[in-house]
């Protein structure tokens, strides 16, 4: 989806029969679906012809599957030396778990990330599949692909981008590792600044049962929050006094319960108090900041996240719904005209 939004001509090879996608298939937008049975010799030969003019191929099978099909890196780079070969797995192409099945929750479990997320004395909580599948997986794969395509323009040579969700999430834990090296990281959920363990960086319930996020880390921002929110003067110097955190947390909780989420938004959003409403997905498109940034778009009547990031000269755009290709020849002709 991201590559398509940024202008790539994305063709997805799919085992027949291929079914039409409706407008609700948001992550499948902007691509062409091409029926292809990779175990069928004729289909495989047609795919190999397309590979000759492709910039990138992405596969997400277990290690060794593409090689057994005759579509591994050695096979395809022999046909197209500048091809970038992206491999997306959970565990990676090597190691004792490489051939095992798994999902996001499993991959992030051995990185330190899952262990760190949750409430004190509670079980670890999966952060949707944002940290693994999308953060450590898709985003690292996209970065690797774009870097390899850029390098291939000067060298004329492609390469394999081995993007494992496991590897990406470990890399994302660099800041926590740095804090641990300094002795500033506790392996207890809800005990660190960024996991809600500090009273000035957490969420609070409001009078309507909704929530507000507070992220006043810097002293000047905490001071502004205290002034605007009416925090008692005797607690305004307690930001880094852990002995007084229980009292500070209780007091802030009582203050936030004194007004609705909308009231707090009206009072503090847009200031340096570092607060923002905690919105469900259904309300996110209506927030003024999201509207100003055009962060949600409507495609074929379906409201959905828009392209990101934003470009000044070559703006990204949704290329429409997914469509089924009529033939391999159609794709071949289209790619033959690419520069």
């Amino acid at each position: 989806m991201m590559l398509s939004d940024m202008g790539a001509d994305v063709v997805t090879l799919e085992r027949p029969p291929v079914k039409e996608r409706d407008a609700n298939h948001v992550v499948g937008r902007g691509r062409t679906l091409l029926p292809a049975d990779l175990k069928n010799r004729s289909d495989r030969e047609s795919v190999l012809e397309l590979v000759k003019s492709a910039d990138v191929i992405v596969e997400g099978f277990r290690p060794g599957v593409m090689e057994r099909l005759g579509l591994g890196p050695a096979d395809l780079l022999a046909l197209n030396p500048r091809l970038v070969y992206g491999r997306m797995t959970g565990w990676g192409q090597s190691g004792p778990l490489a051939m095992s099945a798994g999902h996001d929750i499993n991959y992030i479990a051995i990185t330190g990330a899952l262990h760190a997320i949750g409430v004190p004395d509670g079980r670890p909580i999966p952060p949707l599949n944002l940290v693994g599948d999308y953060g450590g997986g898709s985003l690292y794969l996209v970065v690797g692909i774009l870097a390899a395509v850029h390098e291939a323009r000067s060298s004329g040579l492609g390469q394999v981008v081995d993007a494992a969700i496991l590897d990406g999430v470990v890399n994302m834990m660099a800041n926590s590792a740095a804090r641990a090296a300094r002795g500033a990281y506790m392996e207890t959920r809800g005990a660190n600044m960024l996991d809600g363990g500090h009273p000035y960086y957490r969420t609070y319930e409001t009078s309507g049962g909704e929530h507000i996020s507070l992220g006043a880390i810097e002293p000047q921002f905490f001071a502004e929050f205290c002034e605007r929110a009416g925090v008692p003067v005797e607690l305004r110097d307690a930001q880094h006094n852990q002995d007084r955190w229980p009292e500070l947390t209780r007091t802030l909780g009582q203050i936030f319960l004194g007004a609705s989420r909308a009231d707090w938004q009206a009072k503090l959003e847009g200031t340096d108090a570092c607060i923002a409403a905690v919105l469900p997905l259904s309300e996110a498109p209506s927030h003024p900041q999201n509207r100003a940034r055009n962060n949600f778009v409507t495609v074929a009547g379906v409201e959905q996240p828009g392209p990101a990031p934003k470009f000044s000269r070559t703006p990204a755009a949704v290329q429409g719904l997914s469509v089924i290709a009529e033939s391999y020849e159609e794709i071949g002709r289209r790619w033959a005209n690419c520069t």
Side-chain angles (χ1 to χ4, degrees), residues 266-338:
K267 185 174 183 177
L268 294 180
E269 272 195 353
T271 73
D272 282 354
C274 298
I275 76 105
V278 179
L279 301 180
L281 179 60
S282 59
E283 294 183 38
S286 63
H287 192 283
Q289 184 66 19
N290 282 326
R291 289 205 305 266
R293 296 287 294 169
N294 295 316
N295 282 338
F296 288 84
V297 298
T298 300
V299 180
V302 176
E303 191 170 47
Q304 57 196 268
K310 310 253 188 317
F311 294 84
S312 63
R313 188 175 56 81
T314 57
V318 177
Q319 296 191 46
L321 304 181
S322 60
V323 296
I324 299 178
E326 294 182 2
S327 65
Y328 291 95
E329 289 73 23
E330 173 197 337
I331 305 299
R333 288 192 297 271
R334 197 162 78 200
W335 286 2
N337 294 325
C338 291

Side-chain angles (χ1 to χ4, degrees), residues 1-297:
M1 185 190 79
M2 289 186 66
L3 292 170
S4 173
D5 287 351
M6 289 189 281
D9 186 347
V10 178
V11 174
T12 298
L13 304 179
E14 189 165 313
R15 183 182 301 165
V18 177
K19 298 180 180 179
E20 288 281 0
R21 304 294 203 276
D22 61 27
N24 295 320
H25 188 53
V26 173
V27 296
R29 70 192 187 197
R31 70 182 72 187
T32 302
L33 305 174
L34 182 60
D37 181 356
L38 297 181
K39 294 183 179 179
N40 178 283
R41 181 175 179 179
S42 176
D43 281 5
R44 196 162 58 247
E45 289 177 351
S46 297
V47 169
L48 290 173
E49 281 300 310
L50 288 180
V51 166
K52 293 178 181 178
S53 54
D55 295 305
V56 179
I57 185 169
V58 176
E59 61 94 4
F61 294 108
R62 297 194 202 200
V65 171
M66 290 291 277
E67 283 80 356
R68 290 196 295 274
L69 290 169
L71 300 171
D75 303 295
L76 302 193
L77 284 166
L79 289 174
N80 181 353
R82 64 181 179 80
L83 182 71
V84 172
Y85 197 111
R87 315 200 84 164
M88 181 80 263
T89 58
W91 302 116
Q93 296 293 317
S94 58
L97 298 181
M99 300 304 295
S100 304
H103 281 293
D104 180 293
I105 191 172
N106 309 123
Y107 308 138
I108 71 173
I110 66 169
T111 67
L114 182 58
H115 182 276
I117 301 171
V119 297
D121 301 319
R123 59 185 173 82
I125 297 176
L128 304 181
N129 67 333
L130 299 179
V131 171
D133 289 348
Y134 289 102
S138 298
L139 293 180
Y140 274 76
L141 176 63
V142 168
V143 169
I145 285 173
L146 296 179
V149 168
H150 179 71
E151 193 279 336
R153 289 182 174 178
S154 58
S155 69
L157 298 174
Q159 59 185 304
V160 175
V161 178
D162 175 3
I165 295 171
L166 169 67
D167 302 357
V169 176
V170 168
N171 191 260
M172 289 168 64
M173 290 295 289
N175 182 54
S176 295
R179 294 180 63 83
R182 296 194 299 268
Y185 180 80
M186 297 180 63
E187 292 189 339
T188 302
R189 285 181 285 283
N192 297 281
M193 181 179 71
L194 298 179
D195 62 8
H198 294 195
Y200 54 86
Y201 195 92
R202 52 163 291 175
T203 60
Y204 289 92
E205 186 177 354
T206 64
S207 63
E210 298 164 319
H211 290 82
I212 282 286
S213 67
L214 172 65
I217 297 175
E218 293 78 5
Q220 68 273 26
F221 298 152
F222 182 73
E224 178 160 346
F225 162 72
C226 288
E227 179 66 28
R228 291 179 178 273
V231 176
V233 174
E234 62 270 19
L235 282 174
R236 296 185 184 186
D237 62 352
Q239 181 180 12
H240 298 295
N241 186 340
Q242 295 190 33
D243 292 336
R244 302 183 68 190
W245 279 0
E247 181 186 4
L248 179 59
T249 301
R250 286 194 301 271
T251 300
L252 295 184
Q254 292 167 357
I255 289 173
F256 279 112
L257 280 171
S260 69
R261 188 190 71 188
D263 290 337
W264 286 113
Q265 285 183 267
K267 185 174 183 177
L268 294 180
E269 272 195 353
T271 73
D272 282 354
C274 298
I275 76 105
V278 179
L279 301 180
L281 179 60
S282 59
E283 294 183 38
S286 63
H287 192 283
Q289 184 66 19
N290 282 326
R291 289 205 305 266
R293 296 287 294 169
N294 295 316
N295 282 338
F296 288 84
V297 298

